[in-house]
Amino acid sequence: MVNIYIEIIESGKRPIFKALCIRLMEILNTLRNFAYWSIDALKGGEVKKDFQDIEKIFGYTSFTSLKEHQKPVLDNLLNAVVNNSTFYSGCKNYKSLSDFPIVNKSIIKDHFDDITFEDQESNYLPVKTSGSTGSPFSIFQTKRKKNRNTADTLYFAKLAGYTLGEKLLYLRLWAAYYKKPKMIAWLQNTEQLEVSDLNNTYVKAMVDRLEKDKSPKGWIGYPSGFESICKSLDALNAKPLDCNIKSIIAIAEGLSPEVKSKMEYYFKAPTVSRYSNVENGIIAQQMPNDNAFRINWASYVVEILNLESDVPVPNGTIGRIIITDLYNLATPMIRYDTGDIGAFVNDENSTDNIPKLESIQGRKMDALYKTNGDMLNPFTMHAYVYDFPEIKQLQFIQHEEKKYEIKVNTNVMFEGESLLIEKFKNDIGKDAHVDIQYVDEIPSLKSGKRKISVNLYKQ
């Protein structure tokens, strides 16, 4: 239906037609916002209450005050699990969260029935991951947890600059079980952009359409998809675009500084990275003009533990990201090892140091190790994509301690092979053995995401 308005705007002979149609779209956006909160109010206003609670917690500048607000919710969770979950029954004499064991996907799978509460299973909502990394995973959530996730989503979108009701451009792999019917997508004002279709022709048509649509928009999607869009715009010698994009949120993959800069250049909107997963929800997100990730302390407790032991690491030290989900009382996830690695940094604007995530470096299993045993920052490899614009896709694989492979997808004669190897050796180690393999395509995962690094040595 919005496309009809765009056609009217384009065919109008006088500026007043454009102004009227633009105003009509603004009214529709406002009505969508009003309708959403009205429906929530009729259901008891649960999402609104959670939204206001999250807003209050993020107003704290003291970590002590924040934890005092969080404590009753954490106590309720821990008391519930020791009394209702067979798996945690041995923790009844706990003194703090640290008395609970670390769990991961494998442990939850192996002990699923013992971990999951039994008394209200008929009211639970199943949540499944796609298994794109080779490990399908399924848990239960309560309706209470689902409402909290919805409130988290709305609040963090607002922090990024998006207003509920505005058009949302959603760039991902739209498998059949994700794709929304056209009417539902229109009612929610969502445009479903297919990440697997991206090429110069698709991008040009998409950009032309976005520039004709003058309504305010938010954008969410995979960084690898944003990267493909920017490379197409580079190839088209495009200038900064007038698409009225208000916010850009990168999800599911690491957002490199190069892609962030390019998106902000072409679409003139702040671009932030969101850290989340399917089984929990939004864990942290960058704010505009801040590269650190603001942690969602309203809904989670986050710990950073040593890569090899269950000991907390100092601020600034890379470790395993461990989270406790405060609101899932179906399949509780307490001290859950996400499989991701990152580091804490304190918030300089807080009076007693509210921790942020200084960096999130992706899956531990995907991290490459230098020849001296140190971990390589994954954003180092993302920079190569723009160092060699003739390359369409890159993937770095570690086979052994000092043996690496670089897969290169390019449709032109690549004359920078020796320079690419030299740059990689400068970062990974001069004594590395590096092979180049030319491929027609680097396959994406089932989810549509594409790994830039694969570690076959430390699996």
Side-chain angles (χ1 to χ4, degrees), residues 25-41 48 51 154 158 162-167 186-189:
M25 284 189 280
E26 291 174 348
I27 292 171
L28 277 173
N29 292 349
T30 302
L31 287 173
R32 286 186 176 98
N33 186 295
F34 177 78
Y36 179 87
W37 291 117
S38 296
I39 293 171
D40 179 59
K48 186 70 171 181
F51 186 93
L154 295 175
K158 179 182 176 182
Y162 175 76
T163 301
L164 177 64
E166 293 176 350
K167 173 174 279 190
W186 180 81
L187 289 171
Q188 295 179 346
N189 211 5

Side-chain angles (χ1 to χ4, degrees), residues 300-345:
Y300 305 94
V301 175
V302 179
E303 303 172 75
I304 305 292
L305 301 185
N306 188 279
L307 292 173
E308 306 300 335
S309 65
D310 297 339
V311 177
V313 299
N315 284 356
T317 301
I318 294 292
R320 294 174 294 140
I321 299 176
I322 311 296
I323 69 167
T324 294
D325 190 328
L326 294 172
Y327 286 91
N328 189 357
L329 290 175
T331 305
M333 303 185 76
I334 297 172
R335 306 195 81 195
Y336 170 61
D337 189 333
T338 62
D340 298 320
I341 53 179
F344 274 146
V345 62

Side-chain angles (χ1 to χ4, degrees), residues 69-353:
H69 185 107
Q70 185 189 65
K71 187 177 184 302
V73 182
L74 177 61
D75 288 345
N76 179 66
L77 169 70
L78 300 183
N79 290 334
V81 300
V82 298
N83 290 307
N84 294 282
S85 171
T86 305
F87 182 83
Y88 290 107
S89 60
C91 298
K92 286 186 178 180
N93 296 320
Y94 76 91
K95 294 182 179 179
S96 68
L97 179 61
S98 61
D99 293 328
F100 287 74
I102 305 297
V103 299
N104 55 30
K105 285 184 179 180
S106 295
I107 292 173
I108 293 175
K109 281 182 177 182
D110 292 343
H111 301 275
F112 185 81
D113 290 338
D114 289 337
I115 291 175
T116 300
F117 291 8
E118 297 179 0
D119 54 349
Q120 297 179 345
E121 192 165 324
S122 60
N123 296 319
Y124 292 165
L125 304 169
V127 175
K128 300 179 181 180
T129 66
S130 64
S132 60
T133 60
S135 181
F137 187 55
S138 177
I139 63 164
F140 287 127
Q141 291 182 349
T142 58
K143 293 179 181 178
R144 174 76 183 86
K145 167 62 179 174
K146 182 181 179 182
N147 285 339
R148 188 70 177 194
N149 274 359
T150 300
D152 280 337
T153 300
L154 295 175
Y155 184 75
F156 276 87
K158 179 182 176 182
L159 290 182
Y162 175 76
T163 301
L164 177 64
E166 293 176 350
K167 173 174 279 190
L168 181 65
L169 310 172
Y170 203 157
L171 178 67
R172 63 162 300 155
L173 180 69
W174 287 102
Y177 50 89
Y178 286 126
K179 197 170 184 65
K180 300 177 181 180
K182 288 184 178 180
M183 179 55 69
I184 297 298
W186 180 81
L187 289 171
Q188 295 179 346
N189 211 5
T190 300
E191 183 169 346
Q192 301 169 104
L193 301 172
E194 179 56 61
V195 71
S196 62
D197 289 342
L198 295 176
N199 55 45
N200 290 357
T201 302
Y202 181 94
V203 170
K204 187 177 186 310
M206 177 189 70
V207 167
D208 287 345
R209 185 173 68 255
L210 294 180
E211 286 199 297
K212 291 176 181 177
D213 178 2
K214 301 302 182 183
S215 66
K217 309 171 197 66
W219 203 338
I220 188 169
Y222 299 160
S224 56
F226 291 152
E227 181 181 294
S228 296
I229 289 171
C230 291
K231 294 193 80 169
S232 289
L233 293 173
D234 287 344
L236 295 168
N237 295 315
K239 301 297 182 185
L241 304 164
D242 184 16
C243 300
N244 202 11
I245 304 289
K246 299 297 185 182
S247 65
I248 304 173
I249 300 173
I251 58 171
E253 303 165 337
L255 174 67
S256 71
E258 290 78 16
V259 173
K260 175 183 173 73
S261 176
K262 286 277 187 177
M263 287 296 288
E264 291 180 341
Y265 170 76
Y266 281 121
F267 296 100
K268 299 184 289 187
T271 302
V272 301
S273 181
R274 173 180 291 174
Y275 173 45
S276 63
N277 61 31
V278 175
E279 59 268 32
N280 300 114
I282 299 175
I283 301 166
Q285 181 177 293
Q286 290 176 332
M287 299 297 102
N289 304 314
D290 185 359
N291 289 326
F293 287 75
R294 195 168 185 184
I295 295 171
N296 185 5
W297 292 107
S299 298
Y300 305 94
V301 175
V302 179
E303 303 172 75
I304 305 292
L305 301 185
N306 188 279
L307 292 173
E308 306 300 335
S309 65
D310 297 339
V311 177
V313 299
N315 284 356
T317 301
I318 294 292
R320 294 174 294 140
I321 299 176
I322 311 296
I323 69 167
T324 294
D325 190 328
L326 294 172
Y327 286 91
N328 189 357
L329 290 175
T331 305
M333 303 185 76
I334 297 172
R335 306 195 81 195
Y336 170 61
D337 189 333
T338 62
D340 298 320
I341 53 179
F344 274 146
V345 62
N346 285 335
D347 187 345
E348 297 176 355
N349 296 319
S350 68
T351 56
D352 67 353
N353 299 325

